[in-house]
Amino acid sequence: MGTAADSKAVWLDDAKIRNTLESCSREDVARIRDVLEKARELKGLSPADVAVLMGISSPELLSDLYLTAKAAKEEIYGNRIVLFAPLYISNLCSNECLYCAFRKSNKAVVRRALNKEEITEETKAILRQGHKRVLMVAGEAYPGSGISYVLDAIDAIYDAREDGSSIRRVNVNLAPLSVEDFRQLKNRNIGTFQLFQETYHRETYKQVHLSGPKSDLDWRASSFDRAMLAGIDDVGMGLLYGLYDWRYETLALMQHIAHLEDRFGVGCHTISVPRIEPAVGSDMASHPPHAISDKDFLKLVAILRLAVPYTGIIMSTRENANIRSLTLELGVSQISAGSRTNPGGYKESSQFEAAQFQLGDHRTLAEVVKDLGDHGFIPSFCTGCYRLGRTGKDFMDLAKPGLIKAKCAPNALSTFEEYLLDYATDEARLAGQGAIASTLNGMEDRTRRVSENLLAKVRSGQRDVYC
């Protein structure tokens, strides 16, 4: 059972964050070079280290930061980029969040909660694109029977079939839950539980969350404690950059990660870094109070890659194609593609009036795949780790010594080959085959043999093969 402490963010230390920022307020060349050298060991960075790197402003040091982050990403993830699609099942919400189109009082949004049949049809539309992994998203209010609506939706996604294909892993982005509800969620065989804190700055949090359950910062910030107590050991954190100073927010995020590592032995599996984008009915979304520039945003991604080297960094289609491409070189390891952010958006023509925010990257999955292949990346649709129990601490125990690459690289290739054979355009197939050949040539012998074996199985007609 959870305790009162499981609903309080006692680890969030405002004074400590401010002291750290103040002590690293200027660009210190010697300290920066020391931190970059430390970062190359791929053992993570302290909050003070992170603050030192935030002070980088000169082009030369910025280039050094980018090169270090690129090397770290390639060492850990190689050229793999995990792909997924968000599936919005509802835009009903009980909260009053000034930056969000889904907020309760916003009359400009057409409200909708999909039924099981509609969720099935949305899933089939996603499957026709070639996706195998979805992030199920719901506004923070559920019709009828509450959590049962969410559980039934997960079942509907898993049960959907399109030409023999099905979704292999459902990750979820949901409102905070009790320990008991988290246990029910775990029993539905989810992958990662994702929740965005939006901002850790208490005064800002109060100003932008006017009412509803989300107005309680502590209940939200303690959600991952309750999730892990319920046995969900893969959690995904996220901030909404633009609500408050990005440097403060990032150091608070580091405190959150450190808390989970201290208490449960493992931090977050992923970090999402969305920036505020225009949303219908929200003036704040069009005029962020602390907008983060492209330069600082790219610096942020690189710093996160070095601070938590074995954590996945997710970049959504909020950002335009150019920014997304640049961040792939700096540390991003997962991206959404062909996304819709309104319930029913895949099956029907997308309506911005029902969407949570405005998209920056409107490319289809096929177009994203071709672009990744042209640049030598391997789009991965792999879900093997989830299904073999390589999650939480078990995943990190393999990742930190560098052993997980021997599993992830072959699985990425086999799932990419599936996509190329079953869904790809001729152009994407040509680009993908070149990327696969190049990747095989760069592998050590044993991993290459495993990869070639999986590829041969896929080419012979087998599907969903992994190691």
Side-chain angles (χ1 to χ4, degrees):
M1 294 293 292
T3 66
D6 298 321
S7 61
K8 295 292 183 182
V10 295
W11 43 266
L12 183 55
D13 190 332
D14 176 87
K16 191 171 185 178
I17 294 172
R18 295 195 181 282
N19 289 338
T20 302
L21 287 174
E22 186 176 346
S23 68
C24 306
S25 59
R26 63 181 181 84
E27 185 178 70
D28 187 325
V29 176
R31 289 183 70 187
I32 288 168
R33 295 203 184 282
D34 285 344
V35 172
L36 290 178
E37 186 62 32
K38 177 181 177 181
R40 294 184 183 100
E41 299 174 4
L42 303 181
K43 295 181 180 178
L45 300 176
S46 70
D49 294 332
V50 169
V52 167
L53 296 184
M54 289 174 178
I56 294 176
S57 60
S58 68
E60 180 184 357
L61 288 173
L62 199 59
S63 177
D64 288 346
L65 170 67
Y66 288 171
L67 289 173
T68 306
K70 178 180 173 66
K73 193 236 178 176
E74 291 177 348
E75 176 64 25
I76 296 168
Y77 290 96
N79 60 346
R80 305 186 307 279
I81 301 294
V82 172
L83 293 173
F84 69 94
L87 199 174
Y88 281 69
I89 60 171
S90 168
N91 61 8
L92 307 183
C93 197
S94 58
N95 298 311
E96 193 63 31
C97 309
L98 295 183
Y99 50 82
C100 184
F102 287 0
R103 74 181 191 280
K104 185 177 181 180
S105 68
N106 189 7
K107 305 300 184 184
V109 168
V110 179
R111 301 293 174 173
R112 185 175 183 186
L114 303 183
N115 60 37
K116 290 187 72 171
E117 291 72 24
E118 290 169 329
I119 292 170
T120 297
E121 290 305 309
E122 282 288 278
T123 306
K124 288 181 178 180
I126 291 172
L127 286 167
R128 286 194 290 273
Q129 290 188 37
H131 279 294
K132 294 294 185 288
R133 176 195 300 228
V134 300
L135 173 66
M136 191 189 80
V137 186
E140 298 198 3
Y142 310 126
S145 51
I147 188 65
S148 296
Y149 174 74
V150 170
L151 302 178
D152 289 344
I154 295 170
D155 290 344
I157 295 170
Y158 273 131
D159 289 344
R161 296 290 183 274
E162 183 69 10
D163 293 331
S165 182
S166 62
I167 294 298
R168 296 171 184 167
R169 184 56 45 187
V170 178
N171 299 330
V172 297
N173 184 310
L174 299 171
L177 300 172
S178 66
V179 174
E180 181 53 42
D181 283 348
F182 271 125
R183 288 197 180 102
Q184 293 188 65
L185 197 62
K186 177 178 172 58
N187 290 337
R188 281 309 200 275
N189 203 27
I190 66 159
T192 301
F193 168 73
Q194 184 187 84
L195 180 72
F196 293 0
Q197 186 60 33
E198 320 294 12
T199 174
Y200 286 99
H201 183 244
R202 287 188 180 273
E203 186 58 34
T204 298
Y205 195 95
K206 184 188 304 182
Q207 291 171 358
V208 301
H209 301 104
L210 302 185
S211 63
K214 194 171 178 177
S215 62
D216 186 342
L217 180 150
D218 289 288
W219 175 250
R220 191 171 190 84
S222 58
S223 293
F224 296 133
D225 292 72
R226 296 189 298 278
M228 289 192 171
L229 287 170
I232 298 174
D233 57 4
D234 262 22
V235 298
M237 294 182 179
L239 286 160
L240 186 56
Y241 282 99
L243 292 177
Y244 192 62
D245 182 354
W246 69 272
R247 297 168 302 168
Y248 181 101
E249 301 285 25
T250 303
L251 290 184
L253 181 75
M254 294 299 105
Q255 288 186 347
H256 201 168
I257 294 170
H259 162 70
L260 293 182
E261 289 177 340
D262 289 344
R263 185 176 185 188
F264 299 102
V266 62
C268 57
H269 188 69
T270 60
I271 296 173
S272 297
V273 289
R275 288 191 286 185
I276 295 180
E277 293 296 334
V280 64
S282 171
D283 181 68
M284 178 178 285
S286 297
H287 305 91
H290 291 269
I292 177 172
S293 67
D294 288 351
K295 179 181 178 180
D296 282 341
F297 188 61
L298 296 175
K299 181 165 67 172
L300 162 68
V301 171
I303 291 171
L304 284 176
R305 172 49 59 221
L306 300 178
V308 281
Y310 294 96
T311 297
I313 300 179
I314 300 175
M315 186 64 61
S316 79
T317 46
R318 286 175 180 260
E319 299 295 334
N320 63 45
N322 181 57
I323 289 292
R324 298 219 306 164
S325 180
L326 291 172
T327 61
L328 292 179
E329 299 289 340
L330 302 178
V332 165
S333 56
Q334 297 188 25
I335 60 173
S336 52
S339 303
R340 296 291 183 270
T341 64
N342 58 293
Y346 292 101
K347 190 70 168 56
E348 306 159 8
S349 59
S350 180
Q351 298 178 24
F352 181 47
E353 289 74 16
Q356 187 177 26
F357 54 84
Q358 183 173 305
L359 297 178
D361 188 348
H362 297 271
R363 293 176 298 170
T364 65
L365 173 60
E367 291 169 330
V368 171
V369 166
K370 180 184 180 302
D371 185 64
L372 290 173
D374 284 339
H375 288 85
F377 290 107
I378 296 296
S380 174
F381 301 85
C382 177
T383 57
C385 283
Y386 290 116
R387 297 154 79 194
L388 290 171
R390 293 194 295 254
T391 60
K393 191 174 185 300
D394 289 339
F395 175 85
M396 288 301 172
D397 285 345
L398 289 171
K400 291 181 178 179
L403 302 177
I404 198 66
K405 291 170 63 175
K407 307 292 185 183
C408 293
N411 291 343
L413 290 178
S414 67
T415 57
F416 186 30
E417 183 69 11
E418 268 194 58
Y419 176 86
L420 294 177
L421 292 174
D422 296 345
Y423 304 99
T425 62
D426 290 341
E427 288 183 332
R429 188 173 297 112
L430 184 62
Q433 288 171 344
I436 288 176
S438 176
T439 300
L440 286 171
N441 287 335
M443 285 180 167
E444 59 94 14
D445 289 346
R446 184 180 182 282
T447 305
R448 177 172 178 164
R449 288 195 299 272
V450 172
S451 299
E452 289 176 333
N453 180 51
L454 292 182
L455 286 168
K457 289 181 179 179
V458 173
R459 289 164 183 164
S460 70
Q462 294 186 53
R463 294 294 179 266
D464 196 17
V465 296
Y466 50 91
C467 61

